[in-house]
Amino acid sequence: MNTNHKNGEVRIGFYICHCGHNIAGMVDCPAVAQFIAKLPGVAVSRDYKYMCSDPGQELIQQDIREHKLNRIVVASCSPLLHEHTFRNAVAAGGLNPFFFQMVNIREHDSWVHTDRAEATAKAKALAHAAVSRVRFHRALETTRVSINPDVLVVGGGIAGIHAALTVANSGKKVFLVERDPSIGGHMAQFDKTFPTLDCAACILTPKMSAVRSHENITLWTYSEVVKVEGYVGNYKVTVKRRPRYVNEDLCAGCMECITACVFKEGKFPDEFNAGLSKRKPIYIPFAQAVPPVVVIDPERCLQVRTGKCKKTCIEACADRHAMDFSQKEELVEIQVGNIIVATGFKLFDAKRIPQYGYGQFPNVVTALELERLVNSSGPTAGEIVLRDGRRPKSVGMILCVGSRDVKTNRWCSRTCCMHSMKLAQLVREHTDADVTVFYMDIRAPGKGYEEFYDKSLKEGIQFVRGRVAEVTDWAMAPEEEGKMVIRVEDTLAGFVRRIPVDMIVLAAGMEPQADAQAVRRMFNMSCGTEGWFLEKHPKLAPVSTFTDGVFIAGCCQGPKDIPDSVAQAGAAAAEAMALADKGYIEQEPNTAYIIEADCSGCKSCVPLCPYTAITFDEAKQKAQINGALCKGCGTCVASCPSGSIGQNLFEDEEIFSEIEGVLAYV
Amino acid sequence: MKYSYFPGCSLKGLGRSYEESLLPVMKHLGVELTELNDWNCCGATAYMSVDEGKAAVLAARNLAIAEQAGPEDLMTPCSACYLVLNKTKHNIADYPAINATVQRALGSARLAYRGSVKVRHPLDMLINDVGLDVIKEKVVRPLKGLKVAPYYGCQIVRPYATFDDAWNPTTMDRLLATLGAEVVHYPLKTKCCGGSLTGTVPEAGLRLTYILLKEAVRRGADVIATTCPLCQFNLDAYHDQINQRWGPARIATVYFTQLMGLAFGMPAEQLGLKRNFIPMKPLPAPLSKV
Amino acid sequence: MSDPKWQPRIVAFFCNWCTYTAADLAGVSRFKYASNVRVIRLMCSGRVDPQFILDALAEGADGVLIGGCHLGDCHYSEGNYKTVRRFQMLQRLLHDMGIEEQRVRLEWISASEGERVKTVINDMVEQVRALGPLNLPQHRAEWDRETAHPAETALPAEAAGGVQLAGQRAQPEVAHA
Amino acid sequence: MPDKPKIGFYWCASCGGCEEAVVDFAEDILGVIQAVDIVFWPVAMDFKKKDVEAMPDKSIAATLLNGAIRTSEQEEMARMLRRKSQYLIAYGACAQLGGIPSLANQFPREQLLRYVYEEAPTVVNEAKTRPQTASRNNGYDMTLPEFRNVVRTLDQVVDVDFYIPGCPPTPKITKAAIGALLEGKLPPKGSVLAPDVALCEQCPRKANKPADLSFTQFKRPHQTVIDPNLCMLAQGIVCMGPATRAGCEAACPGGNMPCTGCFGPTSRVQDQGAKILSSLCANLAAREEKEIRGVLAGIPDPVGTFYRYGLGKSMLRRKANMPVETAKNTP
């Protein structure tokens, strides 16, 4: 089984792709073709401008027919890009698609080398290896894995909401899991949205309630995914549902329990209002919360903490009986075929830049806090006021707080320029304060964004180009008394300025969620060095990950604004739906197998398999591999001390001949 | 509590009132300081900019001697010494080249430095080793009503913010509060005092000094407390010139250890307080008796 | 060997999910690096049979580079742990067989670390260049000069189907041009 | 009976154990002698080289040659016997794999000679005399074979038809081989005449190996009291069984000692040592590099442990960068 095919002579067709100038510019393709033509078993050896084009593929099929080829090697780009294309071409030519081997001479050669002779030599070596290897290829059948049509969406921000609705509208079941008591995410906290200045609530709330009422969506708030097992099409996911001590189905959101709570006043920082207002231990996250039911904060509620409380809330709820202190944390297991991860971002902690005085000066606020201040449903009912209640006469906005800075985060958070300009306009709208924006560059790349910048300028908002050095209350001149002074080098004027203001708004950037690493391990995704989830291909697979059936959308993949998040969410939904509608996925047949006659039953391989695909058959006294469970890592193959395990597509002799091949030519 | 003690040149010269107050205060707190035997210049001042290698060797020699002297941490009150010794310690650890130069030089004197010495500032050690509660117990004459502007200077928290925040240090604030003084909010606590520019480029250096004094006065402080001999000198010595250039900004600048001494009930003259050009304002009772 | 034209030959085994992808990224990013490394793609660094490494060296490689996902990040969750364990023993074995440890390297390079591919490869090439050629095939040839006639088995043996079996392999043909 | 097939036995670099193995046939040797003519067997019978030289080529049906090839004489004999025999059979670990003698491939020739003739504690040799390829002694020219730089397997010197593994081969597989020879029931050329499966299959302890074994430490046999029933590996004792060809019926585990690998690898494995290394190490429990190093310290001599019989046939064959010294035995 693991020896080479016995059916007659090997007739190899070799094709090297110019890829326009991408390869031909650095590799002498005809020379490689001539070199390969001399190797034993090679019947055809050609170079061609674009192998992936239709004529290129047709060329292969034609040669298979005319020259009775039974092995094909294509030297072009990365197999991760076009292996499938060419396998299909080979199959269309009437050969088993696995009589094919690809050579990566673009990403691994022409694009990374500068000496034509060296690059050509390397191409010859790699091609030689593939030609030696392909001799040993055998006909293989792909196995089909059926796809469970249900989809899990993790994260109930705008991205998660949009993805869930899109999938649900296609008639598939969706589980939407959100960590907080309500869906809505950061967008729910915003007042208006750039560049159109339409109110965030007005466009978000309908989608939120649509989620709640949608027959295909199971919404689990106050819940977290804790375990993911299985593989594409067949994921088994464990969700932890935290008790909110209120029966979601019975609660009507009348909030009488809140009024009745033994805490007469709100006492604890209100998360939704970014801590600018206080809430009780029993509360409703915000007016338009979905689900619109109260939740109890277990750290704060007397009854939960001590069991000693008058439980006035229960009285208030009366015969509705929605209060339920007997609720316990529960683990629910669900089966889904695809997963969309939309876990969003975390705001940069402005305290990490002490010279900007956040946490030291009461009137230094973050952009998100200002959002709540300008919001009519916010703590000040839309009044922009200082902590002492006065109205600010002057407001300074500092951009790139924590972004584009080697000391904190190097990346641009992409939304802060627009976000700050939006807030600047709102401040002008709500007050008569002067607004000065301190920026390094204004980045307004988007439909209607540059126009929005112009509008800001026209509305008399001051722009000072320079990285702010510090915020201080050290006054040098009378007009600075009682104000905060922004010290900055105005790089356009070319000198250091001191600008006194009443309020300072920090455009804190975006960061990966604190638990991003744990989350990505759970879903078997990769992370970029900065901690954002890594897409499979930045251009061609922007919402896919390296794990089939797991997609990403929104800011967990990188900073982006609402339009981009929604677009990505739609894309992720479409990817999941495509898989679900197809109903199955063809799996690479790279599984390992045990040659039963050869196995001595030493059991060395059994503990090595992370998927418990290897078991020991006591009756036969041999190990055996369950092909359905095997993921094809090949660890057991490398470990079998008597060489009795093979791996399709990666047989020992295939790799040995590859080694020989790459070394055969310097 | 035992420490090796590196006074540095200032504390034997211009800044001797720092040592005059530091030693009794430490003794009073039961802290044992053993002055390094045969210490030399820390390598600060012009040296660093002229020849970093030689400067490093100078500093390293002190570290080597301290290492020989024993396991105790090396306490050094002068900000410049504190920075240079720390800097050298870091450079020796981080740059093999510097380490090689240093060890070669030390070797010729049959010395070596293994990198084990911890360089500590009195503030660090008072807050973290002795503890404010212990200090509180020793306070017999709380500095009630004395408004103090805490001035740390640029060197002890930058670039190595080892025991306090680089932008808004608070150790001295907390210490002074423990002594009963009223600590005024002083946003310039780490700004430059003018350093050696006061001598070389007065119009630049003195302006910086003036800004510090002016802000302290504006904040209603009675006195500036500092940790650095050079700062103390700059803030104390140039009032006439400053007066001519920008008008009055008259306020005394003393070492935080001198204020500790007063709070511990020690007589002012024993604490070198009489050495100031600008004497501390007569203090509200009961201190005024002193 | 004092051949000025000598270039190190390094065989690399990259795991499909992290290091091979990182090498693709290096390509897409057009990072330029030394051309001495020949990459063989495996699904996981756990598939790297120590025989592959010994064979590569025996067949003329001057160095071998193994690339996998960072520990804890293995696409197959545990494969790279098997690799690092084998690697530690192999290093001792190679040392005892007179092969410098620096000729065989294990590096964790994640899919996003395209630049690291460049630095690691350049660094390793220079490291191996400094060590000079290993060239075991030539050593074997020298050893065997003392036997009157080269052993018959040193000639390529043809197996069924006209296919060379990996087991009995010819010496690699030496450089053209 | 003129047409009895002629058989030859010869030894090269070996301990003589393989010869003993033939003698171990006991009475059965008579059966063999019934069936064949032994035409060459220096250990047991008085034949001279010239007798064999006199024979026509291919006139010996089969020669069982044991021992590795270390000297010019051994090589010369091997070539001659190759010519004279229809079948040349590598008999025993040394001829097949290089055997224990091939562990000498870790050292340069000069070092070996110096140790043996000058430095070994039992040697008294002030004159530092060494055997000479040619010398003159009271009027006679004396010659000695040349001591080669490299220990070779038989098939690294001449073409070999079959291999009978073992240190030494058991009478059983030897008889089976000779039987097959006489009946002309021979497998394809190049075959090893023993089961192509690892030893565990024949091991009485197989049933007592847990299926979830992971190693926390390695011990050497003298460092512990070995449980007579439990799998050696389960006791942390390095056993080559999983990487070694069956055929000996687990003689060593049966005698409460671990397998040391004398039957060599299966046909599917090229480098026995690399494979056992791969298997053992992959199954360590340790995760941190330091821990791993600690556990592996329990195997102080990887080459001697994993290649005790197979260094000559291993992928690396000989320690790299070792000198090839002038083909003279003079210092």
Side-chain angles (χ1 to χ4, degrees), chain C residues 23-80:
Chain C
D24 278 3
L25 178 60
V28 173
S29 321
R30 306 296 200 282
F31 295 138
K32 305 299 179 195
Y33 56 81
S35 69
N36 309 60
V37 173
R38 312 279 189 253
V39 176
I40 292 174
R41 181 172 70 109
L42 299 170
M43 294 311 287
C44 177
S45 62
R47 177 66 179 96
V48 179
D49 184 332
Q51 288 191 113
F52 299 163
I53 298 160
L54 297 181
D55 185 56
L57 296 170
E59 292 298 327
D62 300 298
V64 174
L65 170 62
I66 308 155
C69 312
H70 289 268
L71 290 173
D73 296 357
C74 177
H75 186 78
Y76 304 99
S77 78
E78 286 284 315
N80 49 6

Side-chain angles (χ1 to χ4, degrees), chain B residues 69-283:
Chain B
E72 293 80 18
D73 293 353
L74 177 63
M75 200 256 266
T76 180
C78 169
S79 299
C81 304
Y82 179 75
L83 175 60
V84 170
L85 292 179
N86 261 315
K87 185 193 209 167
T88 308
K89 186 176 159 57
H90 279 81
N91 288 352
I92 287 174
D94 299 347
Y95 304 103
I98 294 186
N99 183 39
T101 325
V102 165
Q103 302 296 1
R104 206 178 311 115
L106 292 180
S108 62
R110 267 182 249 84
L111 280 169
Y113 175 56
R114 297 193 317 282
S116 67
V117 176
K118 269 222 202 71
V119 182
R120 305 285 303 278
H121 189 274
L123 272 179
D124 174 9
M125 153 264 163
L126 284 167
I127 299 280
N128 299 315
D129 299 2
V130 178
L132 290 175
D133 41 357
V134 175
I135 293 169
K136 198 174 181 62
E137 288 165 13
K138 301 282 184 188
V139 175
V140 293
R141 280 181 290 179
L143 308 179
K144 284 264 170 300
L146 181 67
K147 294 207 180 68
V148 188
Y151 177 59
Y152 296 75
C154 61
Q155 292 182 311
I156 64 173
V157 287
R158 286 206 294 270
Y160 311 109
T162 41
F163 67 93
D164 210 338
D165 182 82
W167 286 91
N168 182 26
T170 55
T171 38
M172 192 178 2
D173 301 44
R174 282 181 281 151
L175 175 63
L176 295 169
T178 311
L179 303 179
E182 181 184 329
V183 182
V184 302
H185 170 65
Y186 190 57
L188 308 187
K189 45 169 70 164
T190 63
K191 292 279 183 294
C192 176
C193 71
S196 44
L197 288 180
T198 48
T200 50
V201 195
E203 52 281 5
L206 289 181
R207 187 170 169 283
L208 294 168
T209 316
Y210 166 67
I211 287 171
L212 293 182
L213 296 165
K214 177 83 186 326
E215 183 67 8
V217 173
R218 179 173 159 276
R219 296 272 167 182
D222 305 317
V223 62
I224 298 174
T226 182
T227 66
C228 172
L230 182 56
C231 299
Q232 197 278 337
F233 180 77
N234 280 339
L235 292 172
D236 190 31
Y238 295 100
H239 282 260
D240 299 351
Q241 297 185 44
I242 286 171
N243 202 348
Q244 287 159 17
R245 290 168 191 264
W246 299 285
R250 190 179 168 84
I251 182 172
T253 305
V254 303
Y255 295 102
F256 70 102
T257 44
Q258 295 177 304
L259 294 178
M260 288 180 78
L262 290 176
F264 292 169
M266 302 172 178
E269 44 286 311
Q270 284 178 31
L271 297 166
L273 272 165
K274 292 281 179 283
R275 297 188 190 279
N276 280 28
F277 293 103
I278 308 293
M280 246 175 94
K281 281 211 204 103
L283 294 171

Side-chain angles (χ1 to χ4, degrees), chain A residues 143-192:
Chain A
T143 48
R144 288 185 169 189
V145 179
S146 65
I147 305 277
N148 175 335
D150 299 357
V151 175
L152 166 68
V153 177
V154 187
I158 181 59
I161 289 172
H162 186 75
L165 285 171
T166 314
V167 175
N169 289 338
S170 77
K172 293 170 183 56
K173 294 254 168 295
V174 176
F175 296 90
L176 177 57
V177 175
E178 165 59 47
R179 185 177 356 206
D180 289 342
S182 166
I183 57 172
H186 285 98
M187 184 175 174
Q189 295 175 284
F190 296 160
D191 179 50
K192 296 203 162 39

Side-chain angles (χ1 to χ4, degrees), chain A residues 145-151 172-173 175 231-235 334-338 576 579-580 583-584:
Chain A
V145 179
S146 65
I147 305 277
N148 175 335
D150 299 357
V151 175
K172 293 170 183 56
K173 294 254 168 295
F175 296 90
Y231 47 92
V232 57
N234 306 271
Y235 286 108
I334 54 174
Q335 310 276 350
V336 296
N338 290 289
L579 268 178
Y584 65 86

